[in-house]
Amino acid sequence: MKWNDPDSGGSPDESARTPDCHVADLTKVLVVGRSQINRVVVAKIVERSGLKTISEAPDTAVAMLRTMAPGTIILDGGIDNRDCDGLMASIMSLRQASGTNLPSVILLSNKAGTPESLSLPSAIDIVVAKPITPERLQPVVDRLVGRA
């Protein structure tokens, strides 16, 4: 299925595109992390907001980003916030191709702070401190999707 199909909920004028001209679907969230358990927990929280999730390990997520453009990406940074660093160039390419700040990026971190205070890449929009709970993550996801 192509993400630029008319039934996907977005139009080319209001969504991001992948380099292959797939239109971002703001109802889709890519959840990336090394821990499958964490990905499942995060996906279940996100699905409470009525969004669809795709779960990938960091090494397979790069290939997924080449074929689809999610409206939001949630990265589990792991112990040192660097587990998903390999995705940053692809995320920035999507943003440049779209001319917007889409996809929005949330980093799940062991440390509380802002992207700036934690010296994180500019692709990170918001940091959510672990442990991840619905009360912490769901309002952030809802706010980002509403802003997009």
Side-chain angles (χ1 to χ4, degrees):
M1 174 180 113
K2 292 231 181 201
W3 285 45
N4 61 349
D5 117 1
D7 297 327
S8 69
S11 72
D13 295 345
E14 61 191 35
S15 300
R17 293 178 179 267
T18 66
D20 296 334
C21 293
H22 295 277
V23 176
D25 187 337
L26 299 178
T27 66
K28 302 239 188 219
V29 177
L30 178 61
V31 178
V32 182
R34 292 189 193 276
S35 167
Q36 182 176 0
I37 293 170
N38 286 355
R39 291 192 316 254
V40 169
V41 168
V42 170
K44 293 295 180 194
I45 293 170
V46 170
E47 289 168 0
R48 289 179 169 188
S49 295
L51 302 171
K52 298 173 188 163
T53 60
I54 298 128
S55 179
E56 294 288 332
D59 55 337
T60 59
V62 173
M64 181 63 68
L65 283 175
R66 288 186 186 125
T67 61
M68 50 98 62
T72 303
I73 300 173
I74 300 176
L75 306 173
D76 183 347
I79 294 171
D80 60 359
N81 290 335
R82 302 291 176 208
D83 281 5
C84 298
D85 278 1
L87 292 171
M88 295 304 149
S90 296
I91 292 169
M92 292 309 291
S93 291
L94 281 174
R95 286 182 170 187
Q96 288 174 344
S98 72
T100 68
N101 282 336
L102 290 175
S104 299
V105 181
I106 299 170
L107 177 72
L108 308 178
S109 174
N110 287 327
K111 301 173 186 168
T114 65
E116 296 80 20
S117 71
L118 296 175
S119 300
L120 297 171
S122 62
I124 305 296
D125 296 309
I126 296 178
V127 176
V128 176
K130 295 178 185 177
I132 300 304
T133 63
E135 295 77 25
R136 283 186 182 179
L137 182 59
Q138 193 169 357
V140 172
V141 171
D142 290 343
R143 192 169 54 246
L144 275 179
V145 170
R147 184 176 76 184

